[in-house]
Amino acid sequence: MFEKLIEKGLEKSAWLYHLNTGSCNGCDIELVSVITPRYDAERFGFKIAGSPRHADIIVVSGPITSQSRDRLIRTLAQVPDPKVVVSLGSCPRSCNVFNGSYCVEGPLDKYTPIDVSIAGCPPKPEAIMAGLVRAVEILKEKRRAMK
């Protein structure tokens, strides 16, 4: 009984770190709108982290460009395990309209496994919240597996 109470007390809210790797900012605007009082994603326990070292969930928007590739790899290395990678919008998955551009290095799954993919260009706030709730579930599963 006390063990469950201690485990519940040690759980922390999922902290998100948003990484823009070359998007048009459509997905970024929708992600910010999810945090506002209109949609109030904080009721699910999400918090925005200022540093990847404090984050549990990395939200990546945009295709991976040649300028952002090294930053992406460095940022992912700074996130403590267990971590969940979320692709926000169509660009991280397929590069969307930027596919074939001289500066686009490729989709996100070329550099890291994707745990949750939120489709859309840009995705609706409801879809973003559903994807982030799924990311929290995956994070809990990964934490249990580490024990």
Side-chain angles (χ1 to χ4, degrees):
M1 180 176 142
F2 288 115
E3 293 169 1
K4 288 184 180 180
L5 183 64
I6 291 171
E7 282 182 29
K8 184 72 175 166
L10 292 176
E11 282 185 12
K12 70 175 208 130
S13 296
W15 285 29
L16 310 174
Y17 184 79
H18 175 238
L19 184 62
N20 182 336
T21 56
S23 76
C24 67
N25 293 329
C27 294
D28 306 334
I29 292 168
E30 294 299 326
L31 180 64
V32 170
S33 73
V34 166
I35 304 299
T36 63
R38 179 170 186 174
Y39 295 101
D40 192 25
E42 287 187 0
R43 65 190 153 143
F44 298 115
F46 307 131
K47 293 282 188 186
I48 299 292
S51 166
R53 295 171 196 259
H54 298 145
D56 302 305
I57 300 171
I58 300 294
V59 181
V60 180
S61 62
I64 311 306
T65 63
S66 53
Q67 288 185 347
S68 66
R69 184 190 69 230
D70 293 335
R71 292 181 189 119
L72 169 73
I73 294 167
R74 196 169 46 242
T75 301
L76 288 170
Q78 291 177 4
V79 179
D81 286 328
K83 63 183 165 213
V84 175
V85 178
V86 176
S87 71
L88 180 61
S90 302
C91 290
R93 274 304 236 187
S94 66
C95 301
N96 206 1
V97 297
F98 304 106
N99 194 11
S101 177
Y102 69 94
C103 65
V104 173
E105 296 285 326
L108 178 61
D109 59 1
K110 184 177 174 182
Y111 301 100
T112 186
I114 298 172
D115 296 304
V116 178
S117 183
I118 304 171
C121 183
K124 293 182 178 182
E126 295 86 0
I128 294 172
M129 287 196 324
L132 293 177
V133 167
R134 178 68 186 128
V136 169
E137 292 169 0
I138 292 171
L139 181 65
K140 287 180 181 178
E141 291 171 10
K142 286 185 174 184
R143 284 180 177 161
R144 277 189 221 115
M146 285 185 70
K147 289 183 181 180

